[in-house]
CSV table of all heavy atoms in Angstrom, one decimal:
chain,number,residue,atom,x,y,z
A,881,ARG,N,102.9,-21.2,2.3
A,881,ARG,CA,103.9,-21.1,1.2
A,881,ARG,C,105.3,-21.3,1.8
A,881,ARG,O,106.2,-21.1,1.0
A,881,ARG,CB,103.8,-19.7,0.5
A,881,ARG,CG,102.5,-19.4,-0.2
A,881,ARG,CD,102.3,-20.2,-1.5
A,881,ARG,NE,103.4,-20.0,-2.4
A,881,ARG,CZ,103.6,-18.9,-3.2
A,881,ARG,NH1,102.7,-18.0,-3.2
A,881,ARG,NH2,104.6,-18.8,-4.0
A,888,LEU,N,100.4,-26.0,-6.9
A,888,LEU,CA,100.4,-24.6,-7.1
A,888,LEU,C,101.1,-24.2,-8.5
A,888,LEU,O,100.6,-23.5,-9.3
A,888,LEU,CB,101.1,-23.8,-6.0
A,888,LEU,CG,101.2,-22.3,-6.2
A,888,LEU,CD1,99.8,-21.7,-6.4
A,888,LEU,CD2,101.9,-21.6,-5.0
A,891,PHE,N,99.0,-24.8,-11.6
A,891,PHE,CA,97.9,-23.9,-11.6
A,891,PHE,C,98.4,-22.5,-12.1
A,891,PHE,O,97.8,-21.9,-13.0
A,891,PHE,CB,97.3,-23.7,-10.2
A,891,PHE,CG,96.4,-22.5,-10.1
A,891,PHE,CD1,95.4,-22.2,-11.0
A,891,PHE,CD2,96.6,-21.7,-9.0
A,891,PHE,CE1,94.6,-21.1,-10.8
A,891,PHE,CE2,95.8,-20.5,-8.8
A,891,PHE,CZ,94.8,-20.3,-9.8
A,892,LEU,N,99.5,-22.0,-11.6
A,892,LEU,CA,100.1,-20.7,-12.0
A,892,LEU,C,100.4,-20.8,-13.5
A,892,LEU,O,100.2,-19.8,-14.2
A,892,LEU,CB,101.3,-20.4,-11.2
A,892,LEU,CG,101.0,-20.2,-9.7
A,892,LEU,CD1,102.3,-19.8,-8.9
A,892,LEU,CD2,99.9,-19.2,-9.4
A,893,GLU,N,101.0,-21.9,-13.9
A,893,GLU,CA,101.4,-22.0,-15.4
A,893,GLU,C,100.2,-21.9,-16.2
A,893,GLU,O,100.2,-21.2,-17.2
A,893,GLU,CB,102.1,-23.3,-15.6
A,893,GLU,CG,102.7,-23.4,-17.0
A,893,GLU,CD,102.6,-24.7,-17.7
A,893,GLU,OE1,101.9,-25.6,-17.1
A,893,GLU,OE2,103.2,-24.9,-18.8
A,895,ALA,N,97.3,-20.5,-15.6
A,895,ALA,CA,96.7,-19.2,-15.5
A,895,ALA,C,97.5,-18.2,-16.4
A,895,ALA,O,97.0,-17.4,-17.1
A,895,ALA,CB,96.6,-18.7,-14.1
A,896,CYS,N,98.9,-18.3,-16.3
A,896,CYS,CA,99.7,-17.4,-17.1
A,896,CYS,C,99.5,-17.7,-18.6
A,896,CYS,O,99.4,-16.8,-19.4
A,896,CYS,CB,101.2,-17.6,-16.7
A,896,CYS,SG,101.6,-16.9,-15.1
A,899,THR,N,96.2,-16.3,-20.0
A,899,THR,CA,96.0,-14.9,-20.0
A,899,THR,C,97.2,-14.1,-20.6
A,899,THR,O,97.1,-12.9,-20.8
A,899,THR,CB,95.9,-14.4,-18.5
A,899,THR,OG1,97.1,-14.7,-17.8
A,899,THR,CG2,94.7,-15.0,-17.8
A,901,GLN,N,100.2,-13.7,-19.4
A,901,GLN,CA,101.0,-13.0,-18.5
A,901,GLN,C,102.2,-13.9,-18.1
A,901,GLN,O,102.1,-15.1,-18.3
A,901,GLN,CB,100.2,-12.7,-17.2
A,901,GLN,CG,99.0,-11.7,-17.4
A,901,GLN,CD,99.5,-10.3,-17.7
A,901,GLN,OE1,100.5,-9.9,-17.3
A,901,GLN,NE2,98.7,-9.6,-18.5
A,902,ALA,N,103.2,-13.3,-17.6
A,902,ALA,CA,104.5,-14.1,-17.3
A,902,ALA,C,104.4,-14.8,-15.9
A,902,ALA,O,104.9,-15.9,-15.8
A,902,ALA,CB,105.7,-13.1,-17.3
A,903,ARG,N,103.9,-14.1,-14.9
A,903,ARG,CA,103.9,-14.7,-13.6
A,903,ARG,C,102.6,-14.4,-12.8
A,903,ARG,O,102.0,-13.4,-13.2
A,903,ARG,CB,105.1,-14.1,-12.8
A,903,ARG,CG,106.4,-14.5,-13.2
A,903,ARG,CD,107.6,-13.8,-12.6
A,903,ARG,NE,108.8,-14.2,-13.1
A,903,ARG,CZ,109.6,-15.3,-12.7
A,903,ARG,NH1,109.2,-16.0,-11.7
A,903,ARG,NH2,110.7,-15.6,-13.3
A,904,ALA,N,102.3,-15.2,-11.8
A,904,ALA,CA,101.1,-15.0,-11.1
A,904,ALA,C,101.4,-15.1,-9.6
A,904,ALA,O,102.2,-16.0,-9.2
A,904,ALA,CB,100.0,-16.0,-11.5
A,905,LEU,N,100.7,-14.3,-8.8
A,905,LEU,CA,100.8,-14.4,-7.3
A,905,LEU,C,99.4,-14.7,-6.8
A,905,LEU,O,98.5,-13.9,-7.0
A,905,LEU,CB,101.4,-13.1,-6.8
A,905,LEU,CG,101.9,-13.0,-5.4
A,905,LEU,CD1,102.8,-11.8,-5.2
A,905,LEU,CD2,100.7,-12.9,-4.4
A,906,PRO,N,99.3,-15.8,-6.1
A,906,PRO,CA,98.0,-16.2,-5.6
A,906,PRO,C,97.6,-15.6,-4.3
A,906,PRO,O,98.4,-15.6,-3.3
A,906,PRO,CB,98.1,-17.8,-5.4
A,906,PRO,CG,99.5,-17.9,-5.0
A,906,PRO,CD,100.3,-16.8,-5.7
A,907,MET,N,96.4,-15.1,-4.2
A,907,MET,CA,95.8,-14.6,-2.9
A,907,MET,C,94.4,-15.3,-2.8
A,907,MET,O,94.2,-16.3,-3.5
A,907,MET,CB,95.7,-13.1,-2.9
A,907,MET,CG,97.0,-12.4,-3.1
A,907,MET,SD,98.1,-12.6,-1.7
A,907,MET,CE,97.5,-11.4,-0.5
A,908,ASN,N,93.6,-14.8,-2.0
A,908,ASN,CA,92.3,-15.5,-1.7
A,908,ASN,C,91.1,-14.6,-2.3
A,908,ASN,O,90.5,-15.0,-3.2
A,908,ASN,CB,92.1,-15.7,-0.3
A,908,ASN,CG,93.4,-16.4,0.3
A,908,ASN,OD1,93.6,-17.6,0.1
A,908,ASN,ND2,94.2,-15.6,1.0
A,909,THR,N,90.9,-13.5,-1.6
A,909,THR,CA,89.8,-12.6,-2.1
A,909,THR,C,90.3,-11.6,-3.2
A,909,THR,O,91.5,-11.4,-3.3
A,909,THR,CB,89.2,-11.8,-0.9
A,909,THR,OG1,90.3,-10.9,-0.5
A,909,THR,CG2,88.8,-12.7,0.2
A,910,GLY,N,89.3,-11.0,-3.8
A,910,GLY,CA,89.6,-10.0,-4.8
A,910,GLY,C,90.4,-8.8,-4.2
A,910,GLY,O,91.4,-8.4,-4.8
A,912,GLU,N,92.4,-8.7,-1.8
A,912,GLU,CA,93.8,-9.0,-1.6
A,912,GLU,C,94.6,-8.9,-2.8
A,912,GLU,O,95.8,-8.5,-2.8
A,912,GLU,CB,93.9,-10.4,-0.9
A,912,GLU,CG,93.4,-10.5,0.5
A,912,GLU,CD,93.4,-11.9,0.9
A,912,GLU,OE1,92.7,-12.8,0.2
A,912,GLU,OE2,94.0,-12.2,1.9
A,913,ALA,N,94.0,-9.4,-3.9
A,913,ALA,CA,94.7,-9.3,-5.2
A,913,ALA,C,94.9,-7.8,-5.6
A,913,ALA,O,96.0,-7.5,-6.1
A,913,ALA,CB,93.9,-10.0,-6.3
A,914,VAL,N,93.9,-7.0,-5.4
A,914,VAL,CA,94.0,-5.6,-5.7
A,914,VAL,C,95.1,-4.9,-4.8
A,914,VAL,O,96.0,-4.2,-5.3
A,914,VAL,CB,92.7,-4.8,-5.4
A,914,VAL,CG1,92.9,-3.3,-5.6
A,914,VAL,CG2,91.6,-5.3,-6.4
A,915,GLU,N,95.1,-5.2,-3.5
A,915,GLU,CA,96.2,-4.7,-2.6
A,915,GLU,C,97.6,-5.2,-3.1
A,915,GLU,O,98.5,-4.4,-3.1
A,915,GLU,CB,96.0,-5.2,-1.2
A,915,GLU,CG,94.8,-4.6,-0.5
A,915,GLU,CD,95.1,-3.3,0.2
A,915,GLU,OE1,96.3,-2.9,0.2
A,915,GLU,OE2,94.1,-2.6,0.6
A,916,THR,N,97.6,-6.4,-3.6
A,916,THR,CA,98.9,-6.9,-4.1
A,916,THR,C,99.4,-6.1,-5.3
A,916,THR,O,100.5,-5.8,-5.4
A,916,THR,CB,98.7,-8.4,-4.5
A,916,THR,OG1,98.3,-9.1,-3.4
A,916,THR,CG2,100.0,-9.0,-5.0
A,917,ALA,N,98.4,-5.8,-6.2
A,917,ALA,CA,98.7,-5.0,-7.4
A,917,ALA,C,99.2,-3.6,-7.0
A,917,ALA,O,100.2,-3.1,-7.6
A,917,ALA,CB,97.5,-4.9,-8.3
A,918,LEU,N,98.6,-3.0,-6.0
A,918,LEU,CA,99.0,-1.7,-5.6
A,918,LEU,C,100.4,-1.7,-5.0
A,918,LEU,O,101.2,-0.8,-5.3
A,918,LEU,CB,97.9,-1.1,-4.6
A,918,LEU,CG,96.5,-1.0,-5.1
A,918,LEU,CD1,95.6,-0.5,-4.0
A,918,LEU,CD2,96.4,-0.1,-6.4
A,919,LYS,N,100.6,-2.7,-4.2
A,919,LYS,CA,102.0,-2.8,-3.6
A,919,LYS,C,103.0,-3.1,-4.7
A,919,LYS,O,104.1,-2.4,-4.7
A,919,LYS,CB,102.0,-3.9,-2.6
A,919,LYS,CG,101.3,-3.6,-1.3
A,919,LYS,CD,101.1,-4.8,-0.3
A,919,LYS,CE,102.4,-5.0,0.5
A,919,LYS,NZ,102.1,-6.1,1.5
A,920,ALA,N,102.7,-3.9,-5.6
A,920,ALA,CA,103.6,-4.3,-6.7
A,920,ALA,C,103.9,-3.0,-7.6
A,920,ALA,O,105.1,-2.7,-7.9
A,920,ALA,CB,103.1,-5.4,-7.6
A,921,ALA,N,102.8,-2.3,-7.9
A,921,ALA,CA,103.0,-1.1,-8.7
A,921,ALA,C,103.9,0.0,-8.0
A,921,ALA,O,104.8,0.6,-8.6
A,921,ALA,CB,101.6,-0.5,-9.0
A,1054,ALA,N,99.3,-5.7,-16.0
A,1054,ALA,CA,99.0,-6.5,-14.8
A,1054,ALA,C,97.5,-6.8,-14.9
A,1054,ALA,O,96.7,-6.0,-15.4
A,1054,ALA,CB,99.4,-5.8,-13.6
A,1055,LEU,N,97.2,-7.9,-14.3
A,1055,LEU,CA,95.8,-8.4,-14.4
A,1055,LEU,C,95.3,-9.0,-13.1
A,1055,LEU,O,96.1,-9.7,-12.4
A,1055,LEU,CB,95.8,-9.5,-15.5
A,1055,LEU,CG,94.5,-10.4,-15.7
A,1055,LEU,CD1,93.4,-9.5,-16.3
A,1055,LEU,CD2,94.8,-11.6,-16.6
A,1056,LEU,N,94.1,-8.7,-12.7
A,1056,LEU,CA,93.5,-9.3,-11.5
A,1056,LEU,C,92.4,-10.2,-11.8
A,1056,LEU,O,91.5,-9.8,-12.5
A,1056,LEU,CB,93.1,-8.1,-10.6
A,1056,LEU,CG,94.1,-7.1,-10.2
A,1056,LEU,CD1,93.5,-5.9,-9.5
A,1056,LEU,CD2,95.2,-7.7,-9.4
A,1057,LEU,N,92.4,-11.4,-11.2
A,1057,LEU,CA,91.3,-12.4,-11.3
A,1057,LEU,C,90.9,-12.8,-10.0
A,1057,LEU,O,91.7,-12.8,-9.0
A,1057,LEU,CB,91.8,-13.6,-12.1
A,1057,LEU,CG,92.2,-13.4,-13.6
A,1057,LEU,CD1,92.7,-14.7,-14.2
A,1057,LEU,CD2,91.1,-12.9,-14.4
A,1058,GLY,N,89.6,-13.1,-9.8
A,1058,GLY,CA,89.1,-13.6,-8.6
A,1058,GLY,C,87.7,-14.2,-8.9
A,1058,GLY,O,87.5,-14.9,-9.9
A,1061,LEU,N,87.2,-17.6,-10.5
A,1061,LEU,CA,88.4,-18.4,-10.4
A,1061,LEU,C,88.3,-19.5,-9.4
A,1061,LEU,O,88.9,-20.6,-9.6
A,1061,LEU,CB,89.6,-17.5,-10.1
A,1061,LEU,CG,91.0,-18.1,-10.2
A,1061,LEU,CD1,91.3,-18.7,-11.6
A,1061,LEU,CD2,92.0,-17.1,-9.8
A,1068,VAL,N,89.5,-17.7,-4.4
A,1068,VAL,CA,90.8,-17.8,-5.0
A,1068,VAL,C,91.0,-16.6,-5.9
A,1068,VAL,O,90.2,-16.3,-6.8
A,1068,VAL,CB,91.0,-19.1,-5.9
A,1068,VAL,CG1,92.4,-19.2,-6.4
A,1068,VAL,CG2,90.5,-20.3,-5.2
A,1069,SER,N,92.1,-15.8,-5.7
A,1069,SER,CA,92.4,-14.7,-6.6
A,1069,SER,C,93.8,-14.7,-7.0
A,1069,SER,O,94.7,-15.4,-6.5
A,1069,SER,CB,92.1,-13.4,-5.9
A,1069,SER,OG,93.0,-13.2,-4.7
A,1070,LEU,N,94.1,-14.0,-8.1
A,1070,LEU,CA,95.5,-13.9,-8.7
A,1070,LEU,C,95.8,-12.5,-9.0
A,1070,LEU,O,95.0,-11.8,-9.6
A,1070,LEU,CB,95.6,-14.8,-9.9
A,1070,LEU,CG,95.7,-16.3,-9.8
A,1070,LEU,CD1,95.7,-16.9,-11.2
A,1070,LEU,CD2,96.9,-16.7,-9.0
A,1071,PHE,N,97.1,-12.1,-8.8
A,1071,PHE,CA,97.7,-10.9,-9.4
A,1071,PHE,C,98.6,-11.5,-10.4
A,1071,PHE,O,99.5,-12.3,-10.0
A,1071,PHE,CB,98.4,-10.1,-8.3
A,1071,PHE,CG,99.3,-9.1,-8.9
A,1071,PHE,CD1,98.9,-8.0,-9.7
A,1071,PHE,CD2,100.7,-9.2,-8.7
A,1071,PHE,CE1,99.8,-7.1,-10.2
A,1071,PHE,CE2,101.6,-8.3,-9.2
A,1071,PHE,CZ,101.1,-7.3,-10.0
A,1072,LEU,N,98.5,-11.1,-11.7
A,1072,LEU,CA,99.4,-11.6,-12.7
A,1072,LEU,C,100.0,-10.4,-13.4
A,1072,LEU,O,99.4,-9.4,-13.5
A,1072,LEU,CB,98.6,-12.4,-13.8
A,1072,LEU,CG,97.7,-13.6,-13.4
A,1072,LEU,CD1,96.3,-13.2,-13.3
A,1072,LEU,CD2,97.9,-14.8,-14.3
A,1073,SER,N,101.3,-10.6,-13.8
A,1073,SER,CA,102.0,-9.5,-14.4
A,1073,SER,C,103.2,-9.9,-15.2
A,1073,SER,O,103.5,-11.1,-15.3
A,1073,SER,CB,102.4,-8.5,-13.3
A,1073,SER,OG,102.7,-7.3,-13.9
A,1074,ARG,N,103.9,-8.9,-15.7
A,1074,ARG,CA,105.2,-9.1,-16.4
A,1074,ARG,C,106.3,-9.5,-15.4
A,1074,ARG,O,106.2,-9.2,-14.2
A,1074,ARG,CB,105.6,-7.8,-17.1
A,1074,ARG,CG,104.5,-7.0,-17.8
A,1074,ARG,CD,105.1,-5.9,-18.6
A,1074,ARG,NE,106.0,-5.0,-17.9
A,1074,ARG,CZ,105.9,-3.7,-18.0
A,1074,ARG,NH1,105.0,-3.1,-18.7
A,1074,ARG,NH2,106.8,-2.9,-17.3
A,1077,VAL,N,107.7,-6.6,-13.2
A,1077,VAL,CA,106.9,-6.1,-12.2
A,1077,VAL,C,106.8,-7.1,-11.0
A,1077,VAL,O,107.1,-6.8,-9.9
A,1077,VAL,CB,105.4,-5.9,-12.7
A,1077,VAL,CG1,104.5,-5.4,-11.5
A,1077,VAL,CG2,105.4,-4.8,-13.8
A,1078,MET,N,106.6,-8.4,-11.4
A,1078,MET,CA,106.5,-9.4,-10.3
A,1078,MET,C,107.8,-9.6,-9.6
A,1078,MET,O,107.8,-9.9,-8.4
A,1078,MET,CB,106.0,-10.7,-11.0
A,1078,MET,CG,105.5,-11.7,-10.0
A,1078,MET,SD,104.0,-11.1,-9.1
A,1078,MET,CE,102.8,-11.7,-10.3
A,1079,ASN,N,108.9,-9.4,-10.3
A,1079,ASN,CA,110.2,-9.6,-9.7
A,1079,ASN,C,110.6,-8.6,-8.6
A,1079,ASN,O,111.6,-8.7,-8.0
A,1079,ASN,CB,111.3,-9.8,-10.7
A,1079,ASN,CG,111.1,-11.1,-11.5
A,1079,ASN,OD1,110.4,-12.0,-11.1
A,1079,ASN,ND2,111.7,-11.2,-12.7
A,1080,VAL,N,109.8,-7.6,-8.4
A,1080,VAL,CA,110.1,-6.6,-7.3
A,1080,VAL,C,109.8,-7.3,-6.0
A,1080,VAL,O,110.3,-6.8,-5.0
A,1080,VAL,CB,109.2,-5.3,-7.4
A,1080,VAL,CG1,109.5,-4.6,-8.8
A,1080,VAL,CG2,107.8,-5.5,-7.2
A,1081,PHE,N,109.0,-8.3,-6.0
A,1081,PHE,CA,108.8,-9.0,-4.7
A,1081,PHE,C,109.9,-10.0,-4.4
A,1081,PHE,O,110.3,-10.8,-5.2
A,1081,PHE,CB,107.5,-9.9,-4.8
A,1081,PHE,CG,106.2,-9.0,-4.8
A,1081,PHE,CD1,105.3,-9.2,-5.8
A,1081,PHE,CD2,106.0,-8.1,-3.8
A,1081,PHE,CE1,104.1,-8.4,-5.8
A,1081,PHE,CE2,104.8,-7.4,-3.7
A,1081,PHE,CZ,103.8,-7.5,-4.7
A,1082,THR,N,110.4,-9.8,-3.2
A,1082,THR,CA,111.5,-10.8,-2.7
A,1082,THR,C,110.9,-11.5,-1.4
A,1082,THR,O,109.9,-11.0,-0.8
A,1082,THR,CB,112.8,-10.0,-2.4
A,1082,THR,OG1,112.5,-9.1,-1.3
A,1082,THR,CG2,113.3,-9.3,-3.6
A,1083,PRO,N,111.5,-12.6,-1.0
A,1083,PRO,CA,111.0,-13.3,0.1
A,1083,PRO,C,110.7,-12.4,1.4
A,1083,PRO,O,111.7,-11.7,1.8
A,1083,PRO,CB,112.0,-14.4,0.4
A,1083,PRO,CG,112.6,-14.6,-1.0
A,1083,PRO,CD,112.7,-13.3,-1.6
A,1084,GLY,N,109.5,-12.5,1.8
A,1084,GLY,CA,109.2,-11.7,3.0
A,1084,GLY,C,108.5,-10.4,2.7
A,1084,GLY,O,107.9,-9.7,3.6
A,1085,ASP,N,108.5,-9.9,1.5
A,1085,ASP,CA,107.8,-8.7,1.1
A,1085,ASP,C,106.3,-8.7,1.2
A,1085,ASP,O,105.7,-7.7,1.5
A,1085,ASP,CB,108.1,-8.4,-0.4
A,1085,ASP,CG,109.4,-7.8,-0.7
A,1085,ASP,OD1,110.2,-7.6,0.3
A,1085,ASP,OD2,109.7,-7.4,-1.8
A,1086,HIS,N,105.7,-9.8,0.9
A,1086,HIS,CA,104.3,-9.9,0.8
A,1086,HIS,C,103.9,-11.3,0.9
A,1086,HIS,O,104.7,-12.2,0.6
A,1086,HIS,CB,103.9,-9.3,-0.6
A,1086,HIS,CG,102.4,-9.2,-0.8
A,1086,HIS,ND1,101.6,-8.5,0.0
A,1086,HIS,CD2,101.6,-9.8,-1.7
A,1086,HIS,CE1,100.4,-8.6,-0.5
A,1086,HIS,NE2,100.3,-9.4,-1.5
A,1087,GLY,N,102.6,-11.6,1.4
A,1087,GLY,CA,102.2,-13.0,1.5
A,1087,GLY,C,100.8,-13.1,1.9
A,1087,GLY,O,100.1,-12.1,2.1
A,1088,SER,N,100.4,-14.4,2.1
A,1088,SER,CA,99.1,-14.7,2.6
A,1088,SER,C,99.1,-16.2,3.1
A,1088,SER,O,99.6,-17.0,2.4
A,1088,SER,CB,98.1,-14.6,1.4
A,1088,SER,OG,96.9,-15.3,1.7
A,1089,THR,N,98.6,-16.4,4.3
A,1089,THR,CA,98.7,-17.7,4.9
A,1089,THR,C,98.0,-18.8,4.0
A,1089,THR,O,98.5,-19.8,3.7
A,1089,THR,CB,98.0,-17.7,6.2
A,1089,THR,OG1,98.6,-16.8,7.1
A,1089,THR,CG2,98.0,-19.1,6.9
A,1090,PHE,N,96.8,-18.4,3.5
A,1090,PHE,CA,96.0,-19.3,2.7
A,1090,PHE,C,96.3,-19.2,1.2
A,1090,PHE,O,95.9,-20.1,0.4
A,1090,PHE,CB,94.5,-19.2,2.9
A,1090,PHE,CG,94.1,-19.7,4.3
A,1090,PHE,CD1,94.0,-18.8,5.4
A,1090,PHE,CD2,93.8,-21.0,4.5
A,1090,PHE,CE1,93.7,-19.3,6.6
A,1090,PHE,CE2,93.4,-21.5,5.7
A,1090,PHE,CZ,93.4,-20.6,6.8
A,1091,GLY,N,96.9,-18.1,0.7
A,1091,GLY,CA,97.0,-17.9,-0.7
A,1091,GLY,C,97.8,-19.0,-1.4
A,1091,GLY,O,98.9,-19.3,-0.9
A,1092,GLY,N,97.3,-19.6,-2.4
A,1092,GLY,CA,98.0,-20.6,-3.2
A,1092,GLY,C,97.9,-22.0,-2.6
A,1092,GLY,O,98.7,-22.9,-3.0
A,1093,ASN,N,97.1,-22.2,-1.6
A,1093,ASN,CA,97.0,-23.5,-0.9
A,1093,ASN,C,96.6,-24.5,-2.0
A,1093,ASN,O,95.9,-24.2,-2.9
A,1093,ASN,CB,96.1,-23.5,0.3
A,1093,ASN,CG,94.7,-23.3,0.0
A,1093,ASN,OD1,94.0,-24.3,-0.5
A,1093,ASN,ND2,94.1,-22.2,0.2
Side-chain angles (χ1 to χ4, degrees):
R881 296 287 305 281
L888 181 57
F891 164 52
L892 298 181
E893 188 218 11
C896 288
T899 58
Q901 297 289 332
R903 290 173 185 271
L905 192 160
M907 298 294 278
N908 313 282
T909 65
E912 290 172 304
V914 172
E915 289 275 351
T916 304
L918 301 177
K919 287 172 80 172
L1055 172 69
L1056 304 172
L1057 296 177
L1061 187 57
V1068 189
S1069 64
L1070 283 177
F1071 163 68
L1072 304 103
S1073 196
R1074 317 190 304 225
V1077 178
M1078 197 64 87
N1079 290 343
V1080 303
F1081 286 126
T1082 62
D1085 278 3
H1086 184 60
S1088 161
T1089 304
F1090 288 94
N1093 70 73

